[in-house]
Amino acid sequence: MEYSAIELFVTRARERGEYTLTDLDAPHVAAICQQLDGIPLAIELAASKTAAFGVPKLLTLLEQRFRLLSNGPRDAPVRQQTLLATLDWSYRLLSDDEAKLLRLLSVFAGVFNMADAVALSEASGLDAPQTLSALERLSSRSLVATEYESGVLRCRLLETTRLYAAARLVDESEHERAMPVYARHILSIFERADAEWSKRDKHAWMEEYAPRVDDLRKALSWAFGANGDKKLGVTLTAVAIPLWEELSLVGEFRSAVGRAVHELDRIKDCPTNIKMKLAWSRASGMNFAQPFTAETDAAWLNCFELGIEGNSTEFQLRGLWGLSVTLIYTGRSLEAIERLNRFKEIAEACSDWSAIPEADRLLGMAEIYLGQLNSASQRLERLALRYERDQVPVRNTRYNLDQLVAIKCSLALVLWLSGEPKRATQVLREATERAESIGHTVSLSNLLSLGSIPIALWAGDLEAAAKYQAMLEEDGRREDIEIWGRVRRFFAAVLRARRNELGALTEARSKLEDLIAWGFTMRAPMYYCMLAEMHLANGEIDKAGSAMREARKYAVLPGERWCLAEVLRVDGLIQLRAGNSSAAERLFADAIRDAREIGAYMLEARAALALSELLVAEDRFDDAFSVVDSAYAKMSEKTGCPELIEAQNRIRNHQRASVESSASSGRVTS
């Protein structure tokens, strides 16, 4: 009610009937005032219908606004009886040039500039000077709204004015002539955007082209319509892919690309570069929105082969990049390394030095899962340092993700595994801040799904995990990317299970199985270990054993050695719970040895804690202390695993109590 438009609406509605603004109505009233561009006369006319329709229904009917708002006091001036009459009165005062241009400008879905207006002069029969003069006069009559933004004059028609002018465009039989001119102009804008995409600063590029997304949608709708130009539509789809990617509109661009690919066979002489762009985007959309299958591999190989056919190293690199990501996500990291080495060979041969860091990032990611933590750590540290030292500007996302955010996501994982949890947390915080600052939903979702949430869960920090989960949920509301949606639902169930909510653990198992069925097996062993530990906590030994059979399958067969120590540790916990302490001890010792061999000192610490508890229970205090002390010595951050310090103190206390008990027993006997 502090906003004048809302106050006006409520006042006029109250005058026509007994109306009171409620919390339920407030969003609808706000939407009505927004759709009417805050025009007082339009708001008054709409409010007068509140008693007849109610606010929610009124909002629904606003698409029929000219028929709906056709009343008013019979004794009022004619131009106030209806918004239509008001606009019609203003329109009839225009010169022919002004009226023509106003009708023509209605084709723009959003903001436009003087160059846009001039570009459409062909359809209106006006030359550039006439167009600019008419535009200035329309602005002075308030039929075209203008404002300066970053030193650039931007124009737009108010929504009610645009609808009126569009109706006149059809009445004058000009619509069919105007739309092809408009669509070709929008195509030229996006061809320029595509050419500038990898060269300009991200923020400047987005500032210029992001406001054009509604015109893109309108031009495509016409192009693929009954009287459109499908070849233009296919070309426009291909050159608009960068904007969809930067806006993280995954669902929208996947649908648009699917429509364009469907039309390819019907279009003669489609340029190879257009085919390559669509092949890249189709394969990329498959990674986000459908299960990983042989079809996904084939789509990326098709992109690579089209790059060879079109003599384009760019699309050869993109095809190899996408295939490598797919291989890593599906637990085939060794094969991914082969493809990435080929990627680097091609990039080096054509001196595309900007592509090599992305190959190195993925190599580091693959090395982590193969248990090559030292190599991965050095590679990722070097990449992060290069970006920060050279202050690499924020560029558009050549490979779907912001590179620094993606680098820090993998770096945080290797830091945590290597025994540097505090640094890992700091790196995640920095990556989150960057992802939020650049507003790239895909980069943020990737970071939360592969870095922030799982690391928080493994570390037992449920508060942090819940915070990051809420961020991922919000990302999902903005753009529901299927692959991250499945990860999101799994983590949500795990968090509920950690809080001991009824049925949550069964749901978590089901959601993990959904994720595995999707082909996303990269983290499967660790996730099954999480479930097994929760089953053990509930006393469900059989279910824990079942989960661990799955964990071993996904750890051993693909060679995911990075988490083998965790698999051995949880297997040991199951054996211990079943009363097989000697088998448990061997498994814990094997876990410690395996973790130490690859430098996974955090996993060594977890196994050492499990073994120390077993040894303490058997009064083997010196052995227990030695195990914990050895693990503690390996930790780079001595305070990074307080459980080890607590375990040392606990062992000493148990030992002291045991000695005192024995001494007391001896005194009684004597």
Side-chain angles (χ1 to χ4, degrees):
M1 283 296 290
E2 292 178 4
Y3 290 88
S4 58
I6 306 293
E7 183 182 13
L8 175 62
F9 183 98
V10 173
T11 300
R12 294 295 179 262
R14 190 178 293 135
E15 289 173 356
R16 292 298 184 94
E18 295 181 359
Y19 177 75
T20 301
L21 183 66
T22 66
D23 287 344
L24 289 175
D25 274 359
H28 301 302
V29 173
I32 289 169
C33 293
Q34 284 182 318
Q35 287 201 28
L36 295 174
D37 298 302
I39 299 173
L41 176 59
I43 290 171
E44 289 185 350
L45 290 167
S48 71
K49 288 291 187 181
T50 302
F53 294 102
V55 170
K57 182 67 174 177
L58 179 64
L59 178 58
T60 302
L61 292 173
L62 270 178
E63 288 186 356
Q64 307 163 21
R65 68 187 67 194
F66 291 118
R67 179 169 60 84
L68 176 66
L69 304 179
S70 60
N71 82 323
R74 293 183 179 275
D75 57 349
V78 173
R79 64 177 182 272
Q80 292 183 3
Q81 290 186 22
T82 172
L83 182 58
L84 176 60
T86 303
L87 288 168
D88 199 54
W89 174 77
S90 300
Y91 176 75
R92 293 181 186 281
L93 297 176
L94 300 177
S95 67
D96 288 345
D97 287 356
E98 292 165 352
K100 282 183 181 180
L101 184 60
L102 182 65
R103 293 194 299 269
L104 193 63
L105 294 177
S106 69
V107 299
F108 288 107
V111 297
F112 58 91
N113 56 39
M114 290 187 291
D116 295 321
V118 170
L120 296 188
S121 296
E122 174 188 335
S124 64
L126 303 175
D127 58 26
Q130 287 176 306
T131 300
L132 294 176
S133 176
L135 181 62
E136 182 179 356
R137 281 176 273 139
L138 288 172
S139 176
S140 68
R141 293 173 182 267
S142 299
L143 288 169
V144 173
T146 59
E147 62 180 2
Y148 279 92
E149 186 176 326
S150 302
V152 177
L153 180 65
R154 298 190 184 276
C155 310
R156 71 182 180 96
L157 299 185
L158 299 178
E159 179 65 7
T160 45
T161 306
R162 189 185 68 78
L163 289 172
Y164 175 85
R168 301 287 76 77
L169 187 72
V170 173
D171 290 346
E172 297 291 337
S173 302
E174 296 169 330
H175 183 265
E176 292 303 318
R177 188 167 70 250
M179 285 306 296
V181 179
Y182 164 73
R184 287 194 295 271
H185 177 60
I186 298 304
L187 173 61
S188 71
I189 290 172
F190 279 93
E191 286 175 332
R192 185 173 72 246
D194 186 42
E196 296 175 356
W197 174 63
S198 62
K199 301 171 185 175
R200 288 182 63 183
D201 172 78
K202 175 187 174 75
H203 295 296
W205 188 90
M206 288 288 283
E207 188 175 68
E208 180 168 355
Y209 295 112
R212 298 288 190 171
V213 69
D214 287 331
D215 280 310
L216 166 64
R217 292 162 177 154
K218 184 172 182 179
L220 286 173
S221 178
W222 171 81
F224 288 108
N227 299 314
D229 181 341
K230 290 182 172 56
K231 186 173 182 179
L232 184 151
V234 167
T235 305
L236 179 55
T237 300
V239 296
I241 289 168
L243 181 62
W244 278 314
E245 289 182 346
E246 293 307 324
L247 292 172
S248 295
L249 298 174
V250 176
E252 181 177 331
F253 94 72
R254 186 167 182 265
S255 174
V257 167
R259 178 175 55 188
V261 168
H262 179 72
E263 296 292 341
L264 270 180
D265 293 337
R266 307 179 191 181
I267 298 173
K268 296 180 180 179
D269 305 321
C270 184
T272 302
N273 72 309
I274 298 299
K275 292 180 181 178
M276 289 187 295
K277 291 176 189 292
L278 292 173
W280 150 263
S281 189
R282 175 175 174 267
S284 181
M286 290 170 71
N287 267 25
F288 285 125
Q290 69 182 57
F292 293 102
T293 63
E295 184 186 1
T296 315
D297 291 7
W300 286 115
L301 285 170
N302 179 50
C303 180
F304 173 70
E305 289 161 359
L306 282 171
I308 295 174
E309 178 186 325
N311 196 30
S312 168
T313 55
E314 172 66 16
F315 283 94
Q316 291 176 48
L317 293 176
R318 289 189 181 211
L320 288 172
W321 175 90
L323 180 56
S324 299
V325 170
T326 301
L327 292 170
I328 293 171
Y329 280 9
T330 53
R332 294 175 284 168
S333 294
L334 200 58
E335 189 179 344
I337 286 178
E338 295 177 14
R339 301 289 184 172
L340 289 166
N341 286 331
R342 176 65 178 140
F343 179 108
K344 292 184 73 171
E345 288 173 6
I346 294 172
E348 288 168 358
C350 65
S351 300
D352 188 351
W353 309 116
S354 65
I356 291 175
E358 181 61 11
D360 278 330
R361 177 186 77 82
L362 289 177
L363 280 168
M365 192 175 180
E367 286 171 337
I368 291 173
Y369 297 123
L370 291 172
Q372 301 168 12
L373 300 190
N374 186 51
S375 175
S377 177
Q378 292 180 20
R379 192 186 300 275
L380 294 166
E381 291 270 26
R382 188 165 57 246
L383 285 171
L385 180 62
R386 170 186 173 271
Y387 268 83
E388 291 168 343
R389 182 193 61 220
D390 298 345
Q391 296 184 328
V392 177
V394 176
R395 294 291 187 194
N396 289 309
T397 53
R398 181 178 179 183
Y399 294 106
N400 286 340
L401 300 172
D402 176 79
Q403 278 196 325
L404 185 53
V405 172
I407 288 166
K408 290 194 170 186
C409 178
S410 293
L411 178 58
L413 175 58
V414 79
L415 286 171
W416 184 81
L417 288 168
S418 302
E420 298 186 63
K422 289 186 177 179
R423 269 201 69 204
T425 300
Q426 177 60 30
V427 167
L428 286 173
R429 187 180 301 116
E430 293 166 357
T432 303
E433 289 172 358
R434 179 179 173 92
E436 289 183 313
S437 70
I438 63 177
H440 196 244
T441 302
V442 172
S443 292
L444 183 56
S445 293
N446 182 80
L447 173 68
L448 295 168
S449 298
L450 298 184
S452 309
I453 299 173
I455 289 175
L457 285 172
W458 293 330
D461 188 347
L462 297 189
E463 183 179 348
K467 181 186 77 171
Y468 289 131
Q469 177 70 18
M471 293 172 66
L472 187 58
E473 297 282 354
E474 180 59 31
D475 262 17
R477 281 188 283 273
R478 284 196 293 267
E479 182 62 34
D480 191 9
I481 301 169
E482 183 61 35
I483 182 62
W484 302 136
R486 289 174 181 268
V487 172
R488 182 177 72 242
R489 290 187 284 274
F490 167 64
F491 285 145
V494 169
L495 275 168
R496 290 197 295 273
R498 288 284 183 90
R499 300 188 190 108
N500 297 315
E501 293 184 21
L502 188 64
L505 185 50
T506 300
E507 182 186 357
R509 180 72 176 261
S510 172
K511 297 304 181 186
L512 179 54
E513 288 169 354
D514 286 347
L515 195 58
I516 300 303
W518 197 257
F520 192 69
T521 61
M522 178 176 66
R523 302 283 182 85
M526 285 290 277
Y527 295 156
Y528 275 116
C529 285
M530 289 167 56
L531 294 184
E533 280 205 87
M534 288 189 285
H535 280 305
L536 273 181
N538 290 345
E540 301 167 336
I541 298 178
D542 289 343
K543 290 182 178 179
S546 173
M548 290 311 298
R549 284 192 290 275
E550 296 298 314
R552 285 191 294 277
K553 180 173 70 176
Y554 289 107
V556 176
L557 292 180
E560 287 216 8
R561 193 181 173 190
W562 71 289
C563 60
L564 183 56
E566 189 74 351
V567 174
L568 293 167
R569 180 185 72 86
V570 180
D571 269 339
L573 292 175
I574 293 174
Q575 290 296 327
L576 188 62
R577 183 64 65 87
N580 302 321
S581 60
S582 58
E585 182 174 348
R586 286 195 300 272
L587 286 164
F588 293 148
D590 288 345
I592 291 170
R593 182 168 51 254
D594 189 84
R596 188 173 296 169
E597 285 177 1
I598 68 171
Y601 300 124
M602 181 58 74
L603 301 188
E604 178 184 349
R606 290 156 77 93
L609 288 169
L611 178 55
S612 70
E613 290 183 11
L614 182 154
L615 295 172
V616 166
E618 296 179 352
D619 292 342
R620 296 158 62 185
F621 303 112
D622 288 340
D623 290 343
F625 191 88
S626 177
V627 166
V628 172
D629 191 53
S630 179
Y632 180 70
K634 295 288 191 308
M635 297 289 289
S636 299
E637 295 175 356
K638 296 303 183 185
T639 59
C641 191
E643 294 89 349
L644 289 174
I645 300 172
E646 292 171 7
Q648 288 176 324
N649 294 331
R650 189 165 57 250
I651 293 166
R652 288 306 189 203
N653 290 336
H654 278 295
Q655 188 173 33
R656 189 178 302 112
S658 178
V659 170
E660 290 174 355
S661 175
S662 296
S664 174
S665 175
R667 284 195 298 271
V668 169
T669 300
S670 63

